[in-house]
Each structure stands twice: as structure tokens, then as C-alpha cells.
């Protein structure tokens, strides 16, 4: 008996959840984020941190492209499965090349060129698979065509950047990113969102990936140091900070946001997904990675690494990354809530302002104290919201999405 011909792809339906292949795909981004943090930790100058952020933005665009594709066609079925593996290979090569993304090391291939080509491969595979999945959908095919120029422009500018150095090279990177992001935004909103649940879950998982990197940074920061009570205490405080950021995202708002995204329809749903998730989740991820850099340096100081003592203060870029990263995460989450739900949490804005103002004050304190203050403020915020929104939390988590948070 003849077997039926296998379809090239399987359309995602409403209520679909994240596939195991997408989780596997995210593993290369775990590695990539770790490489970025390690690279910035080697040189905590403003230029190096800025370049680290630029790399994060490029990596995010590579990841988010497949979050949209995986919402149109199941990632683990048909030809899409092969495309995901090809994209994984390209991202992994790019991640290996991160230390050479701006400065080529002696010998071998040109690192900046390899990074740009890897990014180009990710985009080509993505757009090709989107074209296959679009079928007879003329609006979606038109959207794909309109995005091609910005994708090409971004890659070309990265290749041009690979032939320069210094601030000229950084400027070309910025131009490449702006061209790609703005071009995509101006290309319209004729994308397709087949499962709001899947889309929200994908972005929640990438937040988990970023928070996981903060935990990895805590461990790596003291990996070569003998265990001590200060290291144990500092590690515990670092986990408290990461746990507080997890709580602020996943406790209530993410549930309400998924519901709102599901209830929205047509172009409004696409714009909500693009603005709230594609664009506003990026600074949240950047905030967590910057905070990871600060955590790694803080634990190094606390553990007595590189000649530091327990009384040495954390200052400069590492301190700004620790506190500023947490602030960026919290404030951006307020923006996400405002964009998707139409509500604003003023207490979070106040906490963000307090943490920013505290940076010059805690710069004179031991690193342990700086980390402890950050953990205490974030825990106080969580405790306040648990108490103040207790009825809303109960209703959202156990009785259906509603209320304000």
C-alpha cells in the first residue's frame, strides 16, 4: 500500500505549545549569551560593553525570527525541522566567533567576516522557509519581499564593518542594526500569528534562558576560587536577585499578557506581538545579561579573586551593569505591561529610579553590601506586590486573567 506523501510543513494551530526542537534551538543561545558575558568581563570598558550589547541585539534578531517562523509552521515537522538545524549551526558558528566579532585574532579565517556570514545564513534560511510556509497567502509573501532589503542591508553593513576598526566599525554595526530593525518595522504588519499561547511561551522561555545565564555567571565568577562563607553568601544573594526578576515577570503579568494577546485579533494582534514581545523583550534580555556581568564581577570581588578582598567596593562599569541591568529589566517590563495591557505599575518605576540614584552611593560600599542592597530592594518590591495585588494574583493565577498589576 502506498504511503501518503509527507507535507513540507505542518501549520501551527491556536493553543499549540513550544516544541522540544525549539527548546533544543535555544541551547545555542544559552552558549551565545555566555560567550557575550565572558567577552565583556574580559574588558569592562564602555566600548567593550557597548559592543557586547550590539552583539546581543544581532543575536536577538536571529532568535526572534525563528520565534515567528515557529508560530506559523511547527518547528519539528517537515522541511522546517531541517531549517532549524541549519540555523542552529549558523548561530553556533557565530557564537564561537564572538570574541573575534570586532577584532580578528591572528591566523585562521577573518572573525568579523565569519560572524557576518553566519548571521546572513540565519536570515536567508529564515526568509526561505517563511516563503515556503506562506503558500498561497499573497499578503504574507508580500511582507516577506518587503523585509528582504533590510535583511540584505544589515548583512552588507556588517561585512563593511568587518573591514574597519575602532569607532568607525562600531558605527557600521549600529547602522546595520538600525537598518535591519527599522526596515522590518516599516515593512508593515502582515505577518501571521497562529498561536498566541505558543508565542508568549517562546518569549517567556528566552527570559528563562537569560536568567539562567545570570546563574551561570555567578558560578563561573568563583569557579577557580576555593569555597568560602563569603562565596556562599554572595552566591545566595545573586540567586535571590535572579529569582526576584523571575517573579516580577512570571507571577502575574505574563499570564495576563498571554490572555490579552489571545483576545486581540487581526493587525492589532500582530502589532501587539511585534511591539510588546519582539521589541520590548530585547531590552529585558539585555538588562539581564548586563546584570549577569555585574554578578560575575561582584562574586569575583567577594571571593577574593584577582587580588581583591572582601571589603573592596564594586564600582565603575561592573556596578553600573549590576544595578543598571536590573533597572533596565524592571522599567522595560513596565513598558511591556503598558503596551500590551494598557496599565502602568508606578511602584516599579519608583524602584527603578531609587536603584539608579543608589549607584554612586553604593560605589563606596563592599561588593557584598552592594549585592545585598540590590537583593533587598527587589525582594521588597516582590513582597509589596504580593500583598498589594493579593486578590488580583489569586484571580489571575487560579480564577482567570483579570485585574491590574
Amino acid at each position: 500500500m502506498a504511503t501518503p506523501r509527507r507535507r513540507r510543513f505542518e501549520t501551527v494551530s491556536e493553543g499549540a505549545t513550544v516544541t522540544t526542537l525549539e527548546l533544543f534551538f535555544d541551547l545555542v543561545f544559552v552558549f551565545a549569551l555566555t560567550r557575550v558575558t565572558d567577552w565583556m568581563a574580559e574588558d569592562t570598558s564602555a566600548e567593550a560593553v557597548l559592543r557586547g550589547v550590539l552583539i546581543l541585539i544581532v543575536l536577538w534578531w536571529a532568535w526572534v525570527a525563528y520565534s515567528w517562523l515557529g508560530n506559523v509552521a511547527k518547528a519539528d515537522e517537515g522541511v522546517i525541522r531541517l531549517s532549524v538545524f541549519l540555523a542552529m549551526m549558523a548561530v553556533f558558528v557565530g557564537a564561537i566567533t564572538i570574541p573575534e566579532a570586532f577584532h580578528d585574532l591572528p591566523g585562521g579565517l577573518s572573525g568579523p567576516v565569519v560572524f557576518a556570514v553566519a548571521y546572513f545564513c540565519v536570515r536567508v534560511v529564515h526568509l526561505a522557509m517563511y516563503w515556503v510556509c506562506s503558500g498561497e497567502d499573497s499578503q504574507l509573501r508580500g511582507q516577506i519581499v518587503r523585509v528582504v532589503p533590510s535583511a540584505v542591508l544589515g548583512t552588507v553593513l556588517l561585512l563593511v564593518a568587518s573591514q574597519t576598526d575602532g569607532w568607525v566599525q562600531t558605527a557600521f554595526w549600529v547602522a546595520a542594526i538600525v537598518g535591519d530593525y527599522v526596515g522590518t518595522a516599516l515593512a508593515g504588519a502582515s505577518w501571521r500569528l497562529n498561536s498566541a499561547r505558543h508565542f508568549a511561551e517562546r518569549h517567556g522561555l528566552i527570559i528563562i534562558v537569560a536568567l539562567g545565564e545570570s546563574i551561570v555567571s555567578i558560578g563561573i565568577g568563583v569557579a577557580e576560587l576555593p569555597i568560602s562563607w563569603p562565596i556562599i553568601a554572595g552566591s545566595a544573594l545573586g540567586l535571590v536577585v535572579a529569582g526576584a526578576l523571575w517573579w516580577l515577570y512570571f507571577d502575574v503579568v505574563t499570564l495576563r499578557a498571554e490572555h490579552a494577546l489571545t483576545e486581540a485579533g487581526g493587525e492589532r494582534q500582530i502589532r501587539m506581538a511585534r511591539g510588546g514581545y519582539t521589541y520590548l523583550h530585547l531590552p529585558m534580555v539585555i538588562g539581564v545579561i548586563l546584570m549577569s556581568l555585574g554578578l560575575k564581577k561582584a562574586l569575583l570581588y567577594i571571593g577574593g579573586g584577582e587580588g581583591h578582598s572582601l571589603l573592596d567596593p564594586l564600582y565603575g562599569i561592573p556596578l553600573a551593569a549590576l544595578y543598571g541591568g536590573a533597572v533596565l529589566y524592571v522599567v522595560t517590563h513596565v513598558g511591556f505591561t503598558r503596551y500590551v495591557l494598557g496599565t502602568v505599575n508606578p511602584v516599579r518605576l519608583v524602584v527603578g529610579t531609587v536603584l539608579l540614584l543608589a549607584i554612586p552611593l553604593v560605589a563606596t560600599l563592599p561588593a557584598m553590601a552592594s549585592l545585598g542592597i540590590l537583593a533587598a530592594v527587589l525582594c521588597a518590591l516582590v513582597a509589596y506586590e504580593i500583598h498589594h495585588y493579593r486578590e488580583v494574583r489569586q484571580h489571575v493565577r487560579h480564577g482567570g486573567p483579570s485585574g491590574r498589576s
Side-chain angles (χ1 to χ4, degrees):
M1 183 176 66
T3 57
R5 182 180 178 183
R6 183 180 295 274
R7 294 186 59 188
R8 291 185 295 174
F9 65 92
E10 182 177 329
T11 303
V12 171
S13 58
E14 182 57 67
T17 57
V18 174
T19 65
T20 54
L21 182 55
E22 288 172 302
L23 297 176
F24 190 43
F25 179 71
D26 287 351
L27 291 180
V28 296
F29 287 92
V30 174
F31 173 66
L33 295 182
T34 301
R35 295 282 281 183
V36 173
T37 306
D38 290 345
W39 184 70
M40 291 191 296
E42 292 294 323
D43 176 10
T44 54
S45 66
E47 181 184 21
V49 173
L50 171 60
R51 288 181 166 186
V53 170
L54 294 177
I55 293 173
L56 285 175
I57 295 173
V58 171
L59 290 173
W60 172 261
W61 210 234
W63 179 87
V64 84
Y66 287 83
S67 72
W68 283 89
L69 177 62
N71 200 267
V72 173
K74 292 188 66 174
D76 58 352
E77 294 291 342
V79 70
I80 305 301
R81 175 184 290 191
L82 177 60
S83 75
V84 171
F85 279 111
L86 290 174
M88 285 178 65
M89 292 172 59
V91 172
F92 193 72
V93 170
I96 293 173
T97 315
I98 283 173
E100 298 184 75
F102 286 89
H103 297 295
D104 185 37
L105 298 178
L109 302 173
S110 171
V113 172
V114 171
F115 185 90
V117 171
Y119 175 66
F120 177 71
C121 291
V122 172
R123 297 305 306 276
V124 167
V125 172
H126 166 252
L127 292 174
M129 289 302 99
Y130 237 124
W131 183 267
V132 170
C133 296
S134 63
E136 302 300 321
D137 190 337
S138 59
Q139 281 190 328
L140 181 55
R141 289 207 160 185
Q143 179 73 70
I144 296 168
V145 170
R146 291 193 297 273
V147 167
V148 169
S150 62
V152 172
L153 175 64
T155 305
V156 168
L157 289 176
L158 284 181
L159 286 171
V160 172
S162 70
Q163 305 305 308
T164 62
D165 54 28
W167 284 103
V168 173
Q169 185 183 34
T170 303
F172 272 114
W173 267 70
V174 172
I177 290 168
V178 170
D180 211 344
Y181 275 57
V182 173
T184 300
L186 295 177
S190 297
W191 300 105
R192 299 292 180 261
L193 195 69
N194 291 343
S195 173
R197 179 184 179 185
H198 173 275
F199 197 76
E201 186 180 2
R202 284 296 287 133
H203 287 77
L205 288 171
I206 201 62
I207 295 294
I208 290 289
V209 166
L211 290 172
E213 163 55 18
S214 69
I215 295 174
V216 170
S217 294
I218 294 170
I220 291 178
V222 294
E224 303 299 325
L225 302 176
I227 192 66
S228 64
W229 285 113
I231 288 178
I232 293 174
S235 300
L237 289 174
L239 287 172
V240 168
V241 169
L245 296 190
W246 174 91
W247 193 294
L248 294 175
Y249 183 93
F250 289 98
D251 186 46
V252 173
V253 175
T254 187
L255 302 176
R256 296 183 58 219
E258 179 185 329
H259 178 74
L261 187 64
T262 302
E263 292 298 308
E267 187 173 318
R268 178 173 174 269
Q269 185 186 54
I270 298 300
R271 293 190 181 280
M272 186 183 295
R274 188 178 65 183
Y277 289 88
T278 297
Y279 286 114
L280 285 176
H281 272 59
L282 170 60
M284 279 193 272
V285 171
I286 293 173
V288 175
I289 299 306
L290 290 176
M291 189 192 72
S292 300
L293 171 62
L295 286 173
K296 184 173 183 176
K297 287 295 185 180
L299 265 293
L300 188 67
Y301 280 47
I302 291 169
E306 297 182 352
H308 294 288
S309 72
L310 186 59
L311 297 179
D312 284 348
L314 187 69
Y315 60 92
I317 296 295
L319 179 62
L322 178 64
Y323 274 63
V327 170
L328 182 59
Y329 178 93
V330 171
V331 172
T332 304
H333 197 263
V334 174
F336 167 72
T337 306
R338 174 67 180 85
Y339 191 91
V340 176
L341 301 175
T343 63
V344 175
N345 188 325
V347 176
R348 292 191 181 188
L349 294 177
V350 171
V351 168
T353 302
V354 168
L355 288 175
L356 278 180
L357 295 176
I359 292 176
L361 301 177
V362 300
T364 60
L365 301 177
M368 180 78 83
S370 298
L371 184 55
I373 290 171
L374 177 61
V377 171
L378 292 175
C379 284
L381 174 60
V382 168
Y384 168 81
E385 293 190 357
I386 290 174
H387 173 74
H388 188 72
Y389 299 115
R390 56 189 180 278
E391 294 182 1
V392 173
R393 291 183 69 253
Q394 175 65 25
H395 188 64
V396 171
R397 296 184 61 81
H398 304 290
S402 182
R404 301 171 67 87
S405 177

